[in-house]
């Protein structure tokens, strides 16, 4: 135990020191910073996906979670919306973000790309690149390379001017050029490899004094390090392409991004911990969690069909609240691995089988004093007891035990002792009074209203230049049919399509992330005489991946009007276009813009698609995160005090029949105490009186911990192991339940407590056949009124053993008020 505390002391003493300047280098083991090898834990937090006001606490929570590095992508189209016009204000202030990282004593990694994918519209590329003659993105193509070099150099020189590279005493220890190019390189044939070489040379030539990585690029040219992205890099990564490059994992996916129509992807804390521990056991030296905080895709920044909420399942949720047990379990993992630092970095690694075929030990260190071990059980079903250096260790299925001194189990990836927490929503204000709402009907333009004309169907993205999601396609024609019933048939490769005939809505269709937009077939009634057809084509974000992005097309492709006796094809016809909506052009979502138009009282006009709604609301009291509950709405976009909080699409249901996202984050920093302007653009038939302003908080915490799974009686060094000195002999920790309410709240009631064999987990539980009658009283005594409480899972705590000889569990669910 002494050795253990000594290691802990070393760890505390070795807090990150970034005061002295020095180039960052590397060898086959790890990055070398200030002459020292490092095993680093990093987490992705993207500056524009939260607000500058949130950055300090997000970074502090990441640091408290045991991270050393904050990683961010750099978002070209956010910074250079028009050629040569740069914007680094507010959420775009990358320098302020990196300085905040530095102020908190952490390192930074910037993944400049500048193609970043990242579920960010157009993969981060500014759309104006599309109009550069002869351009082919991400290829050995002069126009692209010229623009790419210009932007990358600009960012690097900004960082240098601010002295932000570690070589200058700053926090940046690593940068990335390109992104997952190896996945698509083959599509560029002979133009691929020279581009990779050029990108690497160009980056290295910028002389940052810190290494560059390329991820998913197994042929990354020296000295650029090839890095792994994925969920299981300990199993899938072929390794560095040179013996003197370290194993780096740039994207450890903590869950998966979500698209409209999908249920959230839940990746368990145990699974992430297993793969991180395995990667480190196999000489990995750098792990980045993608994402550590996902945040919000504000405005129109999300790529095709991606939810406004980004990686809410990350260790810090969309609102920056701890997602437990993920955050806490990974924190314990980091602590355990850091206790192994000396042997991991200086020692020799040997592997040995632990008896059975699926169990293996990775042992680091040259002698028994300086020794750390990772015991791996790769069996997904069996709990096993293994013997390692004369001691017994119990390894749950698919788990790794970390022994920082080759004796004491400091952590097992499958034993979660961190509490679970439940996020709750409280309605603060219902926006249900009719008199507080105004509405403004978006005009449905006809051919006569348009100024942009072509005798063909234009491509959507190249026409809007991404200044709006929307493009109107209009035409007018004389009806000389004698048929009574007509069918309007429209094919489109954009994401959504609304069709209007003579100003009246006739049909709607949309695609999804995986499926094309179906053909719109609507029965229509035509006037005798002139008819006006208006088609609204919409994109829910631009694509962000794949080769030849510049060749992608979207928009209306063919239009036919069919009668019983005649089919009229309008595909090559005289078309009139309007880019964007009138309300967008008038900026009705701003204070000034909204005051310039005439808002009607709610419900004064016939209810139609494409309506702007306006109201004001007060900020909820307190500090808890705020969200709009848009359950009653359909699809559209919402603005608060002139800032777009993102697209919403509540009418797109998952297979289980619920919206993919109902709550839309409104960062506190956007709010004034009173009279906040809320503007909603509703494309469908949503009901704004159903909207409420809600607050989000952790109101329930739950702990679920089992006694050791080691058989209750087991021979150990010739002795029988029985309570109470069992724990001294068994090299493990006595499991403990810990409950912790968020600041400002305390445990007000115990909703459930069972020491015995309760069934289920923190999500849904019930009493089992064995239950101690003291379960509730014992926990109430320890916890009521307290913010934090903890107690060991041990029968003596609960009076008599309710079922001797049976492994028991303690499950406690508590309310925080
Ligand atoms: C640091 O790296 C820069 C750029 O690669 C180089 O010019 C400089 O000589 C290096 N400094 C040291 C102390 O190695
Ligand atoms: C564990 O087993 C799976 C499935 O058999 C295999 O793909 C994986 O490589 C194994 N991992 C280790 C660390 O042995
Ligand atoms: C895109 O639009 C521009 C005009 O803005 C035009 O010059 C160019 O030819 C268009 N490109 C394609 C591929 O249609
Ligand atoms: C609508 O148009 C598409 C494409 O031209 C065609 O494949 C489809 O059969 C048409 N639908 C009807 C009902 O005519
Ligand atoms: C359509 O209008 C023309 C000319 O005004 C008229 O002759 C014809 O009867 C009308 N047809 C119908 C079906 O109303
Ligand atoms: C351990 O205890 C059990 C039951 O108390 C007994 O049957 C067994 O012989 C003991 N084993 C040893 C090695 O003492
Ligand atoms: C599965 C997943 O989240 N993949 C993402 C990894 O990160 C890149 C950003 O660099 C995204 O583009 C991928 O989609």
């Amino acid at each position: 135990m002494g050795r253990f505390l000594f290691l802990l002391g070393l760890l505390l003493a070795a807090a990150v020191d970034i005061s002295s300047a020095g180039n960052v280098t590397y060898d086959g083991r790890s990055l070398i910073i200030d002459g020292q090898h490092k095993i680093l834990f990093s987490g992705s937090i993207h500056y524009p996906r939260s607000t500058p006001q949130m950055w300090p606490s997000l970074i502090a929570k990441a640091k408290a979670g045991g991270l050393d590095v904050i990683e961010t992508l750099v978002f070209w189209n956010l910074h250079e919306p028009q050629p040569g016009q740069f914007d680094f204000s507010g959420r775009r202030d990358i320098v302020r973000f990196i300085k905040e990282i530095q102020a908190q004593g952490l390192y930074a990694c910037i993944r400049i790309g500048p193609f970043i994918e990242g579920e960010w519209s157009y993969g981060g590329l500014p759309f104006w690149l599309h109009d550069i003659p002869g351009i082919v993105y991400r290829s050995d193509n002069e126009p692209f390379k010229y623009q790419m070099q210009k932007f990358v150099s600009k960012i690097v020189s900004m960082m240098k001017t601010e002295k932000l590279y570690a070589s200058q005493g700053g926090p940046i220890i690593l940068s990335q050029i390109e992104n997952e190019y190896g996945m698509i390189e083959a599509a560029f044939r002979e133009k691929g490899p020279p581009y990779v070489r050029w990108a690497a040379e160009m980056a290295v030539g910028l002389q940052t004094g810190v290494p560059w990585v390329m991820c998913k690029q197994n042929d990354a040219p020296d000295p650029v390090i090839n890095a792994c992205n994925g969920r299981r890099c300990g199993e899938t990564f072929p390794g560095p392409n040179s013996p003197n490059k370290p194993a780096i994992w740039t994207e450890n996916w903590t869950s998966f991004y979500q698209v409209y129509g999908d249920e959230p992807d839940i990746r368990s804390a145990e699974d992430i911990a297993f793969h991180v521990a395995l990667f480190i056991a196999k000489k990995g030296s750098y792990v980045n969690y993608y994402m550590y905080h996902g945040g919000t895709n504000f405005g129109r920044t999300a790529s095709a069909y991606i939810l406004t909420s980004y990686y809410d399942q990350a260790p810090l949720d969309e609102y920056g609240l701890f997602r437990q047990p993920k955050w806490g379990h990974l924190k314990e993992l980091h602590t355990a691995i850091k206790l192994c630092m000396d042997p991991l970095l200086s020692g020799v690694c040997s592997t040995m089988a632990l008896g059975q075929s699926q169990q293996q030990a990775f042992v680091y260190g040259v002698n028994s004093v300086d020794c750390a071990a990772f015991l791996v059980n790769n069996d997904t079903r069996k709990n096993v007891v293994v013997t390692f250096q004369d001691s017994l260790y119990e390894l749950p299925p698919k788990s790794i035990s970390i022994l920082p001194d080759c004796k004491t189990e400091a952590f097992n990836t499958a034993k979660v002792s961190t509490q679970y927490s439940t996020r709750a929503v409280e309605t603060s204000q219902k926006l249900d009074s009719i008199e507080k709402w105004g509405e403004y009907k978006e005009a449905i333009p006809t051919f006569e209203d348009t100024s942009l004309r072509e005798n063909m169907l234009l491509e959507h993205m190249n026409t809007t230049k991404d200044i709006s999601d929307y493009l109107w396609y209009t035409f007018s024609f004389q009806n000389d049919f004698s048929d009574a019933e007509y069918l309007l048939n429209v094919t489109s490769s954009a994401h959504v399509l609304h069709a209007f005939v003579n100003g009246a809505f006739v049909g709607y269709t949309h695609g999804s992330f995986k499926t094309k937009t179906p053909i719109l077939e609507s029965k229509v009634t035509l006037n005798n005489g002139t008819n006006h057809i208006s088609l609204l084509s919409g994109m829910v974000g631009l694509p962000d991946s794949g080769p030849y992005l510049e060749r992608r097309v979207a928009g209306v492709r063919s239009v036919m009007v069919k009668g019983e006796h005649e089919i009229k094809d309008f595909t090559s016809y005289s078309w009139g276009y309007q880019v964007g909506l009138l309300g967008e052009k008038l900026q009705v979502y701003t204070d000034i813009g909204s005051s310039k138009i005439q808002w009607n009282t709610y419900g004064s006009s016939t209810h139609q698609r494409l309506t702007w709604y306006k109201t004001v609301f007060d900020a909820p009291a307190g500090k808890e995160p705020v969200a709009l509950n848009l359950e009653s709405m359909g699809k559209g976009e919402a603005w608060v005090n002139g800032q777009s909080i993102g697209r919403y699409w509540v009418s797109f249901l998952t297979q289980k029949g619920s919206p993919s996202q109902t709550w839309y984050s409104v960062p506190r920093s956007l709010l004034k105490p009173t009279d906040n302007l809320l503007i909603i653009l509703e494309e469908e038939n949503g009901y704004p009186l159903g909207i409420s302003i809600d607050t989000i908080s952790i109101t329930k915490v739950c702990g679920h911990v089992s006694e050791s799974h080691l058989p209750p009686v087991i021979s150990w060094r010739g002795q029988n192991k029985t309570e109470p000195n069992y724990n001294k002999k068994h090299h493990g920790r006595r499991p403990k339940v810990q409950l912790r309410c968020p600041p400002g709240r305390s445990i007000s009631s115990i909703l459930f407590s069972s020491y015995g064999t309760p069934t289920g987990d923190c999500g849904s539980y019930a009493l089992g056949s064995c239950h101690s009658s003291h379960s509730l009283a014992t926990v109430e005594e320890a916890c009521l009124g307290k913010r934090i409480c903890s107690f060991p899972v041990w029968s003596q705590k609960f009076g008599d053993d309710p079922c001797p000889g049976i492994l028991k569990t303690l499950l406690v669910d508590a309310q925080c008020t």
Side-chain angles (χ1 to χ4, degrees):
M1 218 49 181
R3 161 106 199 124
F4 205 76
L5 292 174
F6 169 69
L7 282 167
L8 189 64
L10 271 187
L11 177 68
L12 295 175
V16 180
D17 172 21
I18 54 172
S19 56
S20 57
N23 284 350
V24 178
T25 57
Y26 60 79
D27 62 13
R29 185 64 194 97
S30 74
L31 293 180
I32 303 173
I33 305 173
D34 294 329
Q36 294 190 316
H37 285 90
K38 299 269 182 186
I39 286 181
L40 297 169
F41 294 101
S42 166
S44 290
I45 301 179
H46 295 158
Y47 51 97
R49 285 177 157 142
S50 54
T51 62
Q53 291 77 10
M54 291 166 78
W55 295 343
S57 98
L58 294 174
I59 294 166
K61 286 175 176 177
K63 185 178 182 177
L67 296 196
D68 313 291
V69 186
I70 304 293
E71 177 270 3
T72 183
L73 300 170
V74 179
F75 299 81
W76 187 1
N77 55 14
L78 202 60
H79 294 306
E80 197 178 0
Q82 295 304 322
Q85 290 176 21
F86 288 95
D87 188 349
F88 292 96
S89 65
R91 288 187 289 113
R92 299 170 177 83
D93 195 344
I94 180 173
V95 167
R96 176 170 168 187
F97 182 70
I98 293 176
K99 287 189 170 169
E100 183 60 43
I101 295 171
Q102 180 175 28
Q104 299 207 26
L106 296 181
Y107 296 124
C109 165
I110 55 170
R111 301 172 66 196
I112 303 180
F115 173 82
I116 53 170
E117 194 161 331
E119 291 69 62
W120 191 263
S121 199
Y122 222 44
L125 300 179
F127 195 82
W128 52 260
L129 288 175
H130 189 264
D131 282 344
I132 294 174
I135 199 162
V136 180
Y137 308 157
R138 309 175 69 199
S139 168
D140 186 19
N141 168 275
E142 291 309 322
F144 182 72
K145 291 193 301 186
Y146 172 77
Q147 295 296 337
M148 171 165 166
Q149 176 159 14
K150 223 164 93 176
F151 180 71
V152 173
S153 309
K154 161 120 191 152
I155 296 297
V156 167
S157 87
M158 263 177 92
M159 298 300 125
K160 281 189 181 173
T161 306
E162 301 284 345
K163 300 220 178 318
L164 292 175
Y165 282 104
S167 51
Q168 306 171 293
I172 303 173
I173 53 160
L174 200 61
S175 324
Q176 180 178 303
I177 193 77
E178 249 297 334
N179 188 55
E180 301 193 352
Y181 189 68
M183 307 279 288
I184 57 155
E185 185 172 343
F188 293 97
R189 297 161 182 264
E190 75 283 358
K191 296 280 191 187
Y195 168 66
V196 173
R197 286 194 297 275
W198 169 84
E201 256 168 54
M202 185 269 287
V204 171
L206 293 172
Q207 308 249 324
T208 58
V210 311
W212 290 88
V213 299
M214 283 183 162
C215 57
K216 289 204 177 177
Q217 188 71 48
N218 293 335
D219 62 351
D222 294 343
V224 174
I225 306 166
N226 59 310
C228 177
N229 282 1
R231 291 176 170 233
R232 303 179 292 121
C233 283
E235 289 172 356
T236 59
F237 188 40
N241 62 16
S242 147
N244 51 28
K245 291 181 186 178
I248 287 184
W249 188 354
T250 38
E251 285 189 21
N252 177 12
W253 300 332
T254 51
S255 78
F256 210 69
Y257 58 79
Q258 204 182 339
V259 299
Y260 289 105
D262 271 7
E263 298 287 341
D265 174 273
I266 314 278
R267 189 178 179 197
S268 71
E270 296 91 317
D271 186 47
I272 301 171
F274 177 87
H275 288 285
V276 171
L278 184 64
F279 187 70
I280 296 291
K282 290 185 162 182
K283 286 202 152 180
S285 64
Y286 185 106
V287 174
N288 180 62
Y289 296 101
Y290 193 97
M291 298 291 296
Y292 198 76
H293 170 252
T296 308
N297 291 310
F298 295 110
R300 301 187 304 106
T301 58
S303 65
Y305 295 108
I306 296 290
L307 248 57
T308 290
S309 172
Y310 189 60
Y311 273 87
D312 182 35
Q313 292 295 326
L316 299 177
D317 73 9
E318 177 175 14
Y319 304 97
L321 302 172
F322 295 115
R323 182 167 291 284
Q324 295 284 44
K326 212 174 260 187
W327 181 86
H329 193 54
L330 295 177
K331 175 190 165 96
E332 289 181 17
L333 167 71
H334 303 148
T335 305
I337 290 176
K338 287 191 176 174
L339 290 170
C340 306
M341 207 60 98
D342 284 355
L344 266 180
L345 287 174
S346 56
V348 179
C349 179
S350 56
T351 58
M352 63 190 75
L354 293 173
Q356 297 103 321
S357 61
Q358 303 220 63
Q359 291 78 37
Q360 206 184 359
F362 294 81
V363 186
Y364 284 84
V366 278
N367 53 47
S368 58
V369 180
D370 232 348
C371 176
F374 293 76
L375 311 185
V376 180
N377 177 15
N378 195 36
D379 190 313
T380 51
R381 290 181 312 274
K382 267 201 239 119
N383 199 72
V384 294
V385 174
V386 297
T387 308
F388 173 71
Q389 298 190 353
D390 295 336
S391 296
L392 290 173
Y393 298 89
E394 175 256 341
L395 304 173
K398 198 81 185 172
S399 79
I400 300 179
S401 279
I402 300 177
L403 282 41
D405 56 359
C406 282
K407 284 197 174 61
T408 318
E409 178 195 292
F411 182 82
N412 177 283
T413 58
K415 296 177 187 165
V416 178
S417 62
T418 301
Q419 71 177 3
Y420 290 69
S421 57
T422 308
R423 199 164 69 180
V425 172
E426 281 158 306
T427 299
S428 154
Q429 197 181 342
K430 288 189 171 155
L431 304 181
D432 56 359
S433 42
I434 287 189
E435 63 275 14
K436 285 197 170 168
W437 282 97
E439 68 176 34
Y440 171 73
K441 280 168 63 173
E442 176 72 21
I444 311 298
T446 63
F447 181 78
E448 279 68 40
D449 301 322
T450 61
S451 51
L452 176 60
R453 304 273 170 88
E454 270 312 327
N455 286 323
M456 58 187 265
L457 288 167
L458 290 179
E459 194 278 319
H460 180 118
M461 295 182 280
N462 194 38
T463 308
T464 62
K465 307 291 180 201
D466 197 32
I467 65 161
S468 168
D469 283 353
Y470 304 103
L471 178 63
W472 283 104
Y473 290 74
T474 69
F475 70 99
S476 301
F477 71 104
Q478 288 297 122
N479 181 26
D480 45 7
F481 294 8
S482 52
D483 302 282
E485 267 207 343
Y486 302 91
L487 188 72
L488 175 65
N489 178 327
V490 185
T491 56
S492 170
S493 57
H495 298 155
V496 298
L497 178 71
H498 303 263
F500 300 82
V501 172
N502 299 321
F505 171 75
V506 296
Y508 173 51
T509 181
H510 70 79
S512 72
F513 188 69
K514 292 196 188 84
T515 61
K516 290 188 191 154
T517 301
I519 295 171
L520 180 131
E521 290 168 342
S522 300
K523 281 187 183 149
V524 299
T525 319
L526 296 176
N527 293 335
N528 187 3
T530 307
N531 286 275
H532 303 285
I533 312 283
S534 310
L535 305 173
L536 182 65
S537 172
M539 295 294 282
V540 189
L542 300 190
D544 74 331
S545 58
Y548 301 114
L549 209 50
E550 69 284 348
R551 296 185 196 167
R552 296 296 175 82
V553 291
V556 175
R557 311 305 292 275
S558 75
V559 179
M560 280 181 283
V561 176
K562 300 185 176 187
E564 210 179 305
H565 307 294
E566 195 184 6
I567 297 179
K568 227 173 166 157
D569 190 341
F570 293 98
T571 307
S572 303
Y573 196 72
S574 179
W575 286 88
Y577 297 90
Q578 178 186 308
V579 172
L581 303 179
L582 194 59
E584 289 180 293
K585 192 171 159 200
L586 299 172
Q587 300 195 328
V588 302
Y589 45 83
T590 64
D591 256 335
I592 297 173
S594 87
S595 66
K596 284 190 183 152
I597 60 163
Q598 181 61 50
W599 292 89
N600 294 312
T601 52
Y602 179 85
S604 62
S605 54
T606 30
H607 204 66
Q608 70 160 49
R609 294 191 161 232
L610 287 179
T611 302
W612 297 81
Y613 295 101
K614 174 182 96 107
T615 191
V616 291
F617 67 95
D618 295 343
K623 291 198 171 120
E624 268 145 5
V626 177
L628 277 185
N629 178 344
L630 296 180
E631 197 175 4
S632 65
M633 302 302 285
K635 176 183 184 306
E637 188 171 345
W639 290 259
V640 172
N641 294 327
Q643 302 276 321
S644 171
I645 61 162
R647 301 185 185 99
Y648 65 87
W649 199 348
V650 187
S651 59
F652 199 147
L653 304 181
T654 68
Q655 282 188 340
K656 290 186 189 162
S658 52
S660 293
Q661 186 181 352
T662 302
W663 282 273
Y664 292 78
S665 171
V666 182
R668 281 266 176 192
S669 57
L670 295 187
L671 295 176
K672 306 178 284 184
T674 56
D675 281 334
N676 295 287
L677 178 66
L678 171 64
I679 304 283
I680 307 266
L681 164 65
E682 170 63 26
E683 271 179 48
E684 300 179 352
N685 300 313
Y687 176 68
L689 269 68
I691 297 176
S692 64
I693 309 291
D694 294 353
T695 57
I696 314 287
S697 52
I698 304 296
T699 51
K700 242 161 58 94
V701 294
C702 174
H704 184 194
V705 171
S706 300
E707 290 173 345
S708 171
H709 295 77
L710 268 180
V713 174
I714 191 163
S715 165
W716 184 76
R717 280 187 185 155
Q719 294 171 359
N720 259 342
K721 201 170 46 53
T722 48
E723 287 283 10
N725 58 357
Y726 152 85
N727 202 51
K728 283 185 204 142
K729 292 172 191 161
H730 167 237
H731 283 222
R733 299 162 301 161
R734 184 185 293 288
K736 214 164 55 165
V737 164
Q738 288 173 302
L739 299 176
R740 180 186 288 259
C741 290
R745 291 180 183 253
S746 58
I747 295 172
S748 56
S749 68
I750 303 297
L751 305 169
F752 181 85
S753 173
S754 178
Y755 174 72
T757 56
T759 59
D761 57 24
C762 283
S764 129
Y765 42 71
L767 291 183
S769 53
C770 165
H771 171 71
S772 160
S773 57
H774 302 286
S775 300
L776 187 62
T778 308
V779 173
E780 279 182 345
E781 194 188 321
C783 296
L784 279 187
K786 295 190 181 153
R787 204 195 126 206
I788 299 168
C789 68
S790 112
F791 40 88
V793 179
W794 185 18
S795 62
Q796 291 191 350
K797 275 267 166 197
F798 293 91
D800 297 332
D801 192 333
C803 44
I806 290 178
L807 266 186
K808 286 166 287 291
T809 286
L810 175 61
L811 199 161
V812 178
D813 196 16
Q815 184 78 40
C816 297
T817 314

